[in-house]
Amino acid sequence: MADQLVKQSGGKAIVFARLRSNQATQEGTRVAYQTTYSYKLSRDSKTEDTKDGKVTKGGALEGTLSLELLSSNQAIVRDLESAQVNAYPLDFWIVFTDTPGTRNGTYSGRYMRADLTSFEETGDSDNSVSVKVEASIQDGYARLGDITLSVDNQDNGYDFEDLGKVSNSETTSTNTAPTPTK
């Protein structure tokens, strides 16, 4: 029987980032307050007219990642600006948290190494300060694979808590968010 088609939800696709130079000491960080991202692949082609007809020549594959978010005091926002100023390479992941990976406990995702091509911060008088970054993906495209999220990286919101008093020494409930099913 064929697999049933399931659409992916944009709200369940989450971008993580890290300065490439921090790969030995830091996990990828979920970029807080993301509003949208775009992953784009393109290839320029050129058509030449010849006496025998048109000949098309393909160019190199180019990949671009764009990310928009609300600005915050999160360290990764400063890292993104620093990467633009100092030409530091970055690691990016797009994790589809509504799509289980091929291994148990993983999610489907994309991984890419990229160089920022622009960093834009905008502050309107009636809105929050927003940040938009664009990155050129090294070798032209992201790699597909399975991504394991640590408990710290998962967005489980908050746990159920009874209406009784809770002291500082008590922990919250051990209820967890449901695990995606295949």
Side-chain angles (χ1 to χ4, degrees):
M1 182 169 165
D3 291 334
Q4 180 181 357
L5 291 177
V6 179
K7 66 179 180 70
Q8 291 178 318
S9 170
K12 298 292 184 179
I14 301 168
V15 176
F16 290 75
R18 170 182 67 205
L19 285 173
R20 184 102 179 108
S21 60
N22 292 343
Q23 68 180 349
T25 60
Q26 179 185 4
E27 290 183 356
T29 302
R30 179 185 175 161
V31 180
Y33 305 124
Q34 298 171 40
T35 57
T36 188
Y37 82 90
S38 170
Y39 170 69
K40 179 181 176 183
L41 297 177
S42 63
R43 185 184 306 268
D44 290 334
S45 63
K46 179 180 178 184
T47 304
E48 286 190 45
D49 289 324
T50 69
K51 294 177 183 178
D52 297 317
K54 294 185 183 276
V55 174
T56 302
K57 296 179 181 179
L61 182 64
E62 296 179 14
T64 305
L65 176 70
S66 300
L67 176 64
E68 294 183 37
L69 57 133
L70 299 181
S71 187
S72 69
N73 62 351
Q74 186 184 26
I76 194 65
V77 176
R78 292 186 303 277
D79 287 348
L80 291 171
E81 184 173 7
S82 179
Q84 176 66 34
V85 171
N86 299 299
Y88 295 149
L90 292 149
D91 291 322
F92 286 101
W93 295 263
I94 302 170
V95 183
F96 301 103
T97 60
D98 60 350
T99 307
T102 59
R103 296 186 326 260
N104 193 25
T106 64
Y107 299 95
S108 178
R110 300 181 191 278
Y111 165 70
M112 63 207 83
R113 294 177 183 168
D115 300 297
L116 286 191
T117 56
S118 71
F119 178 97
E120 179 181 353
E121 184 177 83
T122 306
D124 296 327
S125 61
D126 58 347
N127 288 319
S128 300
V129 175
S130 62
V131 172
K132 180 177 182 179
V133 296
E134 291 189 9
S136 175
I137 301 168
Q138 295 175 7
D139 297 329
Y141 66 99
R143 301 333 191 243
L144 299 173
D146 292 344
I147 298 174
T148 303
L149 295 182
S150 69
V151 175
D152 293 338
N153 286 329
Q154 295 181 23
D155 182 17
N156 292 334
Y158 54 88
D159 294 332
F160 175 83
E161 201 168 283
D162 204 348
L163 60 109
K165 293 180 182 177
V166 178
S167 69
N168 289 338
S169 64
E170 293 177 314
T171 60
T172 59
S173 167
T174 59
N175 294 332
T176 59
T179 304
T181 57
K182 291 187 177 179

